[in-house]
Amino acid sequence: MPGRVCCCCAALRPRYKRLVDNIFPEDPKDGLVKADMEKLTFYAVSAPEKLDRIGAYLAERLTRDVARHRYGYVLIAMEALDQLLMACHSQSIKPFVESFLHMVAKLLESGEPKLQVLGTNSFVKFANIEEDTPSYHRRYDFFVSRFSAMCHSRDPDPEVQNEIRIAGIRGIQGVVRKAVNDELRATIWEPQHMDKIVPSLLFNMQKIEDIDSRIGPPSSPTVGVKEENPSVLAENCFRELLGRATYGNMNNAVRPVFAHLDHHRLWDPNEFAVSCFKIIMYSIQAQYSHHVIQEILGHLDVRKRDSPRVRAGIIQVLLEAVAIAAKGSIGPTVLEVFNTLLKHLRISVDFELGDRRSSCESTTLSISSKESDERIVQNAIIQTIGFFGSNLPDYQRSEIMMFIMSKVPVLGTTSQSLDPSNLGDLGTRRIQIMLLRSLLMVTSGYKATTISNALPAPFLDPLLSPSLMEDSELRQLVLEILHNLIDRHDNRAKLRGIRIIPDVSDLKIKRDKISRQDVSFMKKHGQQLYRHIYLGCKEEDNVQKNFELLFTSLALTTIELANEEVVIDLVRLAIALQDIAIINEDNLPMFNRCGVMALVAAYLNFLSQMIAVPAFCQHVSKVIETRSVEAAYFLPETIFKDKSNLPKSLEKDETDLFFLTNKIAESLGGSGYNVERLSVPYVPQVTDEDRLSRRKSIVDTVSLQVDILSGCSIEDKVDNTEEITFEALKKAIDNNGLEEQEKEKRRLVIEKFQKAPFEEIAAQCETKANLLHDRLAQILELTIRPPPSPSGAMTMTAGHPHYHSVPVYEMKFPDLCVY
């Protein structure tokens, strides 16, 4: 019989061979001879030095049986090996393990699926054994390669294919457990192994039917499910592999994921890619999250020339990753994430405009599909920036707000902003809008304790600059960002839409007492806010949303920052806005003029009820009632719903339709407000922002105020200058006729600077400068050399030691212009 030898020969054979031969029955169907197996086990335990010989002899028999296709004896040999392996734990087991692994390798190399499964099962049992000492020389390269190949089985029989893939996955799991538990050996994490293990697992994970089942922290499926579904088993093996990764080998485990997704084109659509990285982020240790984010950013740089949908897919994966990482530690990658995303935003805009120029050159008017795909990339970047920023702590969010704002390109300046030089005005505008949209998302939900923390000067100045640009969408975004930062009590939703609010108390506005820090902020920066609201109302391209946001800005400023002094400033601002519509120095369309009038009505109605001054409320209510009857187009409910009934002109003498400064001053003064400043018309501050924003504003002209009247020479102007006295000032304030003359004079000055040739203006400025220089020289000369002294007085020269005691004589120069 194959398992027996003759009695004469048996007596001459070594004992371990006789014991091994006895465990094989005459008929392999009878299975392992248990009694003889017990004797063999006892002998191996008693004489562990014989284990290596027992293993070698079993390996010899198994190799012969495999070659002769006697699979029954192969099963018996593997069962005996398993029992010996489980029973012996001494140091002498090392040589026996080598024989065991050699036999497992023989089974895996065979083309018989049953033998491959048998060898895998034996290896898994071996992997679960904890050895007393590590084995430095043992390597698992063959097993990694073979199990990975089994994971890709293409057997024509689906059941056999499924069985082999499951065996391959379980084999990989065994290799990982065996190698990772050995702290002195890390060969399993080498790239040549990870490049085989990870794609094999991902290949089987793709076969899962319910992708959503993988989203979230690791689950614990039953043993039955693991055995039946290769994808579930592969997923759990993948989770286990990532959970065992350390700082030094994390990147080696993640990089093959990118290679697999690239090779199989799984970024578009990217459902599987998203689910993979969710598994990664939930499986790894939290402190290593930034490694994964850095790898995604690096891969985005590598694929920056790919199709827009591929880049959008990678950015979506980044969004999901940072959404999980933001809840824990994200390490030093915060600015790197934003910097990389902003760089790719610039690249996407460049691609989009390049496609648009190409389509224009080919006389194609329709927007190409690639251009619309670039919009998908840009929206994905904005969403990622906004989501990541909104999940950061407040101290980090403030830094990110400053960082993003520093990247917004402003025409005419050189800074760290994204370079718009190659994009032109259209590309610059696109980047401005997208960065402001990103900033809008970052500021969403931000609650600063003080306004100075939310709007520091280095952030406020560049933020307000785009509000002066000739683009209504840019101005809307700036105002919405301001609302996010100013609204600390979530009142904005209650103020949505511009309207005459019958009873403000119904809104249940939440507010606190104005803090010292907020009062100080308004003293320093209040004029900046007023100026941008004022100039924002004068833009010709304003639509209803612009007026709604301007109204909300005024209302939120009143709620969050208004003390008595600020209330007076806001009233002055409202009256100045009303004058914009009435005087119309900027030649605004009738809709804009009526829109400004409606804005003033809505705001003064809100302000009067907020400060609860009865006389003020009565005046505002009376004007609104009069308008509702005689000029409904001055109210927001009418002008923004029906633009067809616009008046042809606005009469300046219809005082019943206007809010009057003297009546407002009288009502507020009676309630204890200091109304002296109400008599001084509001004039916006002059800064460089108009030049930086390339805005055609009258402030450009006002900032060059030189008193030159059309048709008048410098000498005529000087001769006609009156001496300024208190009585003259009082007369000018009280006299409406003089006020109208001043406004007309200012209009002529502005018109001259807008229409006159540059050479003429420059010549007049030079002439006046020379005149001023001569007058100043006369002052200095008369001060140093005074007129003759009265009789009996001592005359002293500049060199006299008591020269400093000589009184300085006051001289009047009625012909000298005062600046």
Side-chain angles (χ1 to χ4, degrees):
M1 293 296 175
R4 300 289 182 179
V5 295
C6 65
C7 295
C8 296
C9 294
L12 299 176
R13 294 169 67 81
R15 185 182 177 188
Y16 72 89
K17 288 188 177 182
R18 296 198 305 269
L19 291 173
V20 170
D21 290 338
N22 291 337
I23 66 173
F24 291 93
E26 294 183 1
D27 187 356
K29 294 180 180 179
D30 295 338
L32 183 66
V33 180
K34 294 183 179 180
D36 291 330
M37 187 64 217
E38 291 176 1
K39 293 178 183 180
L40 178 61
T41 303
F42 178 77
Y43 176 77
V45 173
S46 303
E49 69 278 1
K50 300 293 186 180
L51 266 174
D52 58 336
R53 299 183 183 182
I54 295 172
Y57 184 60
L58 277 171
E60 180 184 341
R61 286 196 56 127
L62 183 135
T63 302
R64 184 173 64 248
D65 292 335
V66 169
R68 296 176 181 177
H69 301 285
R70 295 190 297 197
Y71 299 138
Y73 290 114
V74 172
L75 296 175
I76 293 172
M78 291 307 300
E79 185 178 354
L81 281 169
D82 292 343
Q83 291 189 22
L84 287 173
L85 199 61
M86 299 299 293
C88 303
H89 297 285
S90 66
Q91 294 183 0
S92 301
I93 200 175
K94 301 300 179 185
F96 176 75
V97 169
E98 298 303 322
S99 300
F100 168 78
L101 293 177
H102 177 69
M103 286 182 280
V104 172
K106 285 293 183 183
L107 296 179
L108 295 177
E109 287 177 340
S110 69
E112 183 63 34
K114 291 183 179 180
L115 295 185
Q116 293 178 1
V117 174
L118 178 64
T120 301
N121 293 337
S122 295
F123 183 85
V124 171
K125 293 176 183 178
F126 161 72
N128 292 327
I129 297 175
E130 295 184 6
E131 300 183 51
D132 297 334
T133 57
S135 178
Y136 302 102
H137 65 280
R138 189 185 306 154
R139 296 185 65 87
Y140 300 99
D141 300 24
F142 167 79
F143 296 99
V144 170
S145 300
R146 188 57 193 155
F147 288 136
S148 300
M150 292 169 62
C151 290
H152 295 271
S153 173
R154 297 287 186 181
D155 194 280
D157 188 343
E159 293 184 2
V160 174
Q161 175 183 294
N162 193 62
E163 188 177 12
I164 295 176
R165 288 187 178 183
I166 288 176
I169 296 168
R170 294 180 66 241
I172 289 177
Q173 194 171 31
V175 172
V176 172
R177 289 177 180 175
K178 196 64 179 175
V180 171
N181 288 335
D182 192 346
E183 297 180 357
L184 299 179
R185 299 177 66 255
T187 57
I188 193 67
W189 297 107
E190 294 177 357
Q192 63 266 29
H193 298 319
M194 287 292 106
D195 289 345
K196 298 174 183 177
I197 292 175
V198 173
S200 300
L201 298 175
L202 296 178
F203 176 76
N204 285 276
M205 289 166 58
Q206 283 179 254
K207 305 301 179 181
I208 196 166
E209 295 179 358
D210 185 8
I211 293 178
D212 293 335
S213 66
R214 291 200 300 268
I215 298 176
S219 57
S220 299
T222 61
V223 177
V225 174
K226 289 182 182 179
E227 296 295 336
E228 294 176 359
N229 196 334
S231 55
V232 175
L233 182 62
E235 177 190 331
N236 282 276
C237 182
F238 188 51
R239 290 182 186 274
E240 183 178 349
L241 175 68
L242 295 168
R244 295 173 182 268
T246 60
Y247 180 85
N249 48 48
M250 173 60 64
N251 293 342
N252 289 341
V254 174
R255 285 172 185 165
V257 177
F258 294 104
H260 179 82
L261 297 174
D262 290 343
H263 179 72
H264 293 276
R265 300 179 181 178
L266 297 174
W267 295 113
D268 177 31
N270 68 337
E271 288 81 1
F272 179 73
V274 170
S275 64
C276 280
F277 278 92
K278 283 188 175 182
I279 291 173
I280 293 172
M281 297 303 294
Y282 279 118
S283 300
I284 63 176
Q285 300 181 47
Q287 63 268 29
Y288 303 148
S289 296
H290 63 280
H291 279 287
V292 180
I293 295 175
Q294 286 175 330
E295 289 296 322
I296 300 174
L297 293 173
H299 195 69
L300 182 60
D301 286 336
V302 172
R303 304 298 299 272
K304 63 183 179 182
R305 298 292 178 183
D306 279 32
S307 66
R309 290 189 176 273
V310 169
R311 286 181 282 127
I314 299 174
I315 295 168
Q316 180 66 28
V317 167
L318 178 64
L319 171 61
E320 299 295 340
V322 298
I324 299 172
K327 299 175 183 176
S329 173
I330 53 176
T333 60
V334 177
L335 289 180
E336 183 181 353
V337 170
F338 287 99
N339 197 36
T340 302
L341 289 174
L342 294 179
K343 179 179 68 175
H344 283 276
L345 186 62
R346 166 70 171 77
I347 293 173
S348 178
V349 172
D350 198 7
F351 285 160
E352 178 189 350
L353 295 180
D355 294 338
R356 177 173 295 182
R357 285 191 290 267
S358 300
S359 63
C360 291
E361 291 173 0
S362 60
T363 65
T364 303
L365 299 179
S366 61
I367 299 177
S368 65
S369 60
K370 188 174 181 181
E371 181 180 341
S372 62
D373 289 344
E374 289 295 345
R375 296 292 179 94
I376 297 175
V377 176
Q378 295 158 15
N379 290 333
I381 293 175
I382 292 171
Q383 187 179 9
T384 303
I385 291 175
F387 188 86
F388 193 16
S390 62
N391 280 278
L392 292 173
D394 287 346
Y395 72 93
Q396 281 188 325
R397 203 192 304 196
S398 299
E399 295 177 359
I400 295 305
M401 288 159 49
M402 298 281 289
F403 180 76
I404 296 176
M405 201 65 239
S406 69
K407 298 294 183 181
V408 177
V410 179
L411 294 173
T413 63
T414 57
S415 63
Q416 298 179 353
S417 62
L418 299 183
D419 181 19
S421 57
N422 298 327
L423 297 178
D425 292 347
L426 180 60
T428 301
R429 176 186 177 275
R430 288 283 300 151
I431 290 180
Q432 288 171 336
I433 288 177
M434 286 183 288
L435 289 179
L436 290 177
R437 285 176 57 194
S438 303
L439 189 59
L440 179 62
M441 296 187 67
V442 172
T443 56
S444 178
Y446 180 61
K447 296 290 187 298
T449 54
T450 62
I451 294 297
S452 57
N453 291 338
L455 291 170
F459 177 74
L460 180 63
D461 295 337
L463 174 64
L464 292 179
S465 292
S467 69
L468 300 178
M469 296 182 181
E470 294 180 324
D471 190 298
S472 61
E473 187 176 359
L474 280 173
R475 300 197 300 273
Q476 292 170 14
L477 289 170
V478 171
L479 291 175
E480 289 178 318
I481 292 169
L482 280 176
H483 297 170
N484 282 345
L485 298 173
I486 294 176
D487 184 20
R488 293 172 289 179
H489 297 87
D490 297 323
N491 292 312
R492 183 174 29 169
K494 304 170 185 177
L495 301 169
R496 187 167 295 145
I498 180 171
R499 63 196 186 281
I500 303 296
I501 304 173
D503 190 352
V504 173
S505 62
D506 292 340
L507 301 180
K508 298 181 180 179
I509 299 292
K510 298 179 182 178
R511 63 185 306 191
D512 294 329
K513 186 177 179 181
I514 309 301
S515 64
R516 282 184 188 175
Q517 293 86 346
D518 292 345
V519 172
S520 176
F521 173 85
M522 290 304 292
K523 287 182 178 180
K524 292 180 180 179
H525 305 289
Q527 293 300 323
Q528 280 182 275
L529 297 177
Y530 306 149
R531 175 176 185 268
H532 286 268
I533 293 174
Y534 178 85
L535 297 178
C537 291
K538 301 174 71 171
E539 298 293 344
E540 293 186 10
D541 61 341
N542 280 339
V543 294
Q544 179 178 348
K545 185 176 181 180
N546 291 90
F547 289 110
E548 290 178 352
L549 293 173
L550 289 166
F551 166 75
T552 305
S553 300
L554 289 167
L556 289 176
T557 303
T558 304
I559 296 170
E560 298 286 348
L561 302 169
N563 56 7
E564 291 188 4
E565 184 178 349
V566 174
V567 167
I568 297 299
D569 286 336
L570 290 171
V571 171
R572 293 175 61 217
L573 175 61
I575 298 301
L577 294 177
Q578 181 177 253
D579 291 341
I580 290 176
I582 297 174
I583 301 173
N584 196 27
E585 293 179 346
D586 298 275
N587 296 321
L588 294 175
M590 185 58 66
F591 168 75
N592 294 66
R593 297 173 68 184
C594 293
V596 172
M597 296 291 282
L599 168 64
V600 174
Y603 174 64
L604 288 181
N605 171 71
F606 177 82
L607 176 63
S608 63
Q609 295 185 57
M610 287 296 295
I611 63 177
V613 175
F616 187 20
C617 293
Q618 184 178 1
H619 173 63
V620 171
S621 299
K622 183 178 179 181
V623 173
I624 291 175
E625 289 176 2
T626 305
R627 288 185 178 184
S628 62
V629 175
E630 300 179 11
Y633 42 79
F634 283 167
L635 298 178
E637 289 82 358
T638 301
I639 183 60
F640 296 122
K641 292 182 180 179
D642 184 11
K643 301 180 182 179
S644 59
N645 295 325
L646 295 176
K648 294 182 179 180
S649 63
L650 298 182
E651 300 297 334
K652 299 180 181 180
D653 55 352
E654 295 181 355
T655 57
D656 293 341
L657 300 177
F658 306 144
F659 301 99
L660 303 179
T661 305
N662 57 349
K663 294 200 173 180
I664 295 176
E666 181 181 350
S667 62
L668 293 179
S671 296
Y673 284 83
N674 184 358
V675 296
E676 292 182 0
R677 287 188 299 118
L678 283 180
S679 60
V680 181
Y682 170 78
V683 177
Q685 289 183 339
V686 179
T687 69
D688 292 334
E689 292 175 347
D690 303 282
R691 176 181 60 81
L692 299 181
S693 61
R694 297 173 64 180
R695 177 181 178 275
K696 297 177 182 178
S697 169
I698 65 164
V699 179
D700 287 327
T701 306
V702 176
S703 63
L704 299 174
Q705 291 180 12
V706 179
D707 198 5
I708 301 176
L709 294 179
S710 176
C712 297
S713 65
I714 297 294
E715 290 74 16
D716 294 339
K717 168 74 171 52
V718 171
D719 292 340
N720 293 330
T721 303
E722 298 179 357
E723 181 178 359
I724 299 177
T725 64
F726 175 77
E727 293 298 329
L729 288 174
K730 183 177 179 181
K731 182 178 179 181
I733 294 174
D734 295 337
N735 195 326
N736 292 330
L738 290 178
E739 184 178 354
E740 292 295 328
Q741 293 177 7
E742 289 298 324
K743 290 181 180 179
E744 181 64 17
K745 187 167 83 171
R746 191 184 309 119
R747 189 188 66 79
L748 293 174
V749 171
I750 293 170
E751 183 177 359
K752 182 167 187 67
F753 273 88
Q754 288 178 336
K755 299 180 179 180
F758 175 80
E759 291 78 10
E760 179 182 345
I761 297 174
Q764 293 180 357
C765 289
E766 183 178 2
T767 303
K768 187 149 191 174
N770 294 334
L771 177 64
L772 180 61
H773 179 271
D774 295 337
R775 290 292 185 260
L776 290 175
Q778 293 179 21
I779 293 174
L780 293 175
E781 182 179 0
L782 290 175
T783 302
I784 296 174
R785 194 189 316 176
S789 302
S791 176
M794 183 183 296
T795 303
M796 300 182 184
T797 64
H800 195 279
H802 299 288
Y803 171 75
H804 64 276
S805 63
V806 176
V808 177
Y809 291 84
E810 296 181 0
M811 301 296 296
K812 293 185 178 180
F813 295 91
D815 58 337
L816 180 62
C817 296
V818 179
Y819 286 88

